[in-house]
Amino acid sequence: MADRKIITVFGATGAQGGGLVRAIAADPAGGFAARAVTRDVDSDKARALAKLGAEVVAADVDDEASMRRALEGAYGAYFVTFFWAHFSAEKELAEARSMAHAAKAAGVHHVIWSSLEDVRRFVPLSDARMPTMHDKYKVPHFDAKGEADRFFTDAGLRTTFLYPSFYWENLIYFGAGPKKGPDGALYFTLPTGNAKMAGVAAEDIGRVAYGIFKAGDAYVGKTVGAAGEHLTGAEMAAKMTRALGREIRFNGPSPDEYRAYGFPGAVELGNMFQFYRDFEGPVNAVRDVARSRALDPQLLSFDQWLAENAAKIPLE
Ligand SMILES: NC(=O)c1ccc[n+]([C@@H]2O[C@H](COP(=O)([O-])OP(=O)(O)OC[C@H]3O[C@@H](n4cnc5c(N)ncnc54)[C@H](OP(=O)(O)O)[C@@H]3O)[C@@H](O)[C@H]2O)c1
């Protein structure tokens, strides 16, 4: 352990951080050791990480002193914030600010910050193409992450900005899977028209992050996306049809129609999908699949992900 570089991983019991801890644990000769951060070291997920050989430590992003302790002696840190735990862009900004402060205080050599585009740089608040939310955001959970980049740069931290893509697991856990229409047929709804959307197996985000740490300083100061494939909604529906053996029809409402569905988060997600649709070029360019694969040779395509996971997609 002493001769290995410690990477402190926030969100270690979650999707992104968990993938990184497992990638480090799977490569014992790689020269890195994972320090997994959780609020509850006794949870089943935390114990599973300890079993893999990770050091598991308690810290809470709301308690900066605990974060500093978790970062003490670390070479690297993986930071991800927890928007869906509180739905607050302000809180997400505060979390990122604390992370940057704590990393600076601990003298961390290389930070990976799990960021996203500040959509307001593409669609200013004055632009009526998509509604403004809470008077200051277009896509709060994107904008806050992008705005928070400056906490890391201003602190002089050697940072790689990692942009995840749409997790294909959203089809299982986030209500994004096919739904039965009034005619009894199954419809996969995505308001992205003919645009190809970057998607990824959540586990690959952490594996890409591991590739970035392994590359030394090559990606310091750079923005790197993680994507397994860029696909239209119709292509995703066709692949699900083959994997599930059930016809999945593509339903492509406009972003306005999607926002009007009215479920909690419909406006935010409608804006997000509109961003994916209207800025397909730059969004997918940064989420380069070949580069993701170079950093993560195990990177899954959508077909490969479906082969492992299709049976878990609820068909309502
Ligand atoms: N779903 C998508 O398609 C998608 C795409 C791009 C980006 N994202 C972003 O991904 C982020 C979430 O990452 P994820 O999916 O890896 O999360 P996740 O699987 O939901 O896991 C959440 C993690 O957060 C930790 N956590 C929550 N509150 C904490 C706190 N106060 N202090 C310390 N740790 C805390 C939890 O650890 P313990 O409970 O063990 O403490 C858990 O490990 C969100 O901000 C979201 O916007 C999602």
Side-chain angles (χ1 to χ4, degrees):
M1 179 87 171
D3 53 338
R4 289 191 281 160
K5 293 175 175 155
I6 296 168
I7 307 288
T8 296
V9 183
F10 281 80
T13 58
Q16 296 187 25
L20 175 55
V21 172
R22 285 182 285 277
I24 294 172
D27 185 17
F32 292 93
R35 184 182 286 165
V37 175
T38 174
R39 291 165 299 173
D40 178 6
V41 296
D42 290 321
S43 73
D44 289 347
K45 285 182 174 177
R47 284 174 192 272
L49 297 177
K51 250 193 197 155
L52 292 176
E55 178 192 2
V56 177
V57 300
D60 191 314
V61 77
D62 296 326
D63 170 3
E64 206 169 303
S66 75
M67 295 224 291
R68 279 193 208 182
R69 284 195 297 277
L71 290 160
E72 211 56 53
Y75 160 90
Y78 186 81
F79 289 128
V80 54
T81 45
F82 315 113
F83 183 81
W84 302 109
H86 45 66
F87 296 88
S88 162
E90 271 73 27
K91 187 147 172 41
E92 197 165 30
L93 281 164
E95 290 173 353
R97 192 187 301 112
S98 302
M99 288 168 171
H101 284 175
K104 183 70 182 168
V108 173
H109 178 80
H110 186 180
V111 165
I112 297 182
W113 160 232
S114 180
S115 187
L116 284 168
E117 291 91 343
D118 184 337
V119 174
R120 297 165 298 183
R121 298 216 179 106
F122 298 78
V123 188
L125 291 182
S126 58
D127 189 325
R129 254 180 302 174
M130 60 176 76
T132 292
M133 299 186 66
H134 319 305
D135 297 326
K136 21 180 179 173
Y137 301 108
K138 287 299 187 185
V139 184
H141 73 285
F142 273 55
D143 299 349
K145 290 183 181 71
E147 187 177 329
D149 287 358
R150 66 183 160 86
F151 299 134
F152 297 91
T153 350
D154 291 355
L157 287 161
R158 301 157 52 74
T159 306
T160 304
F161 305 90
L162 177 62
Y163 285 6
S165 303
F166 177 87
Y167 304 179
W168 291 321
E169 281 73 9
N170 294 336
L171 300 169
I172 305 173
Y173 305 113
F174 206 66
K179 305 260 181 310
K180 223 170 239 169
D183 57 357
L186 287 163
Y187 290 91
F188 171 55
T189 296
L190 201 66
T192 45
N194 293 322
K196 285 183 185 284
M197 183 178 74
V200 72
E203 191 74 4
D204 277 315
I205 302 167
R207 290 199 285 245
V208 167
Y210 182 50
I212 292 170
F213 280 127
K214 275 201 303 186
D217 291 340
Y219 293 99
V220 168
K222 302 232 161 49
T223 301
V224 179
E229 210 166 347
H230 304 155
L231 294 166
T232 64
E235 287 168 339
M236 288 179 75
K239 286 176 181 296
M240 281 191 270
T241 296
R242 281 197 293 276
L244 290 158
R246 303 262 309 263
E247 189 192 3
I248 308 293
R249 298 184 187 167
F250 173 56
N251 174 38
S254 71
D256 273 336
E257 287 165 337
Y258 188 90
R259 284 186 280 265
Y261 287 168
F263 63 85
V267 173
E268 172 143 14
L269 294 176
N271 287 7
M272 177 189 83
F273 287 125
Q274 186 175 349
F275 172 64
Y276 274 119
R277 183 195 72 174
D278 293 354
F279 298 92
E280 178 190 14
V283 166
N284 288 346
V286 74
R287 290 169 177 79
D288 184 84
V289 175
R291 182 168 64 178
S292 298
R293 185 160 286 112
L295 288 162
D296 164 17
Q298 290 170 263
L299 189 82
L300 297 182
S301 66
F302 189 47
D303 281 335
Q304 288 170 320
W305 181 87
L306 282 169
E308 290 175 17
N309 294 284
K312 294 183 223 157
I313 298 175
L315 299 176
E316 298 159 20

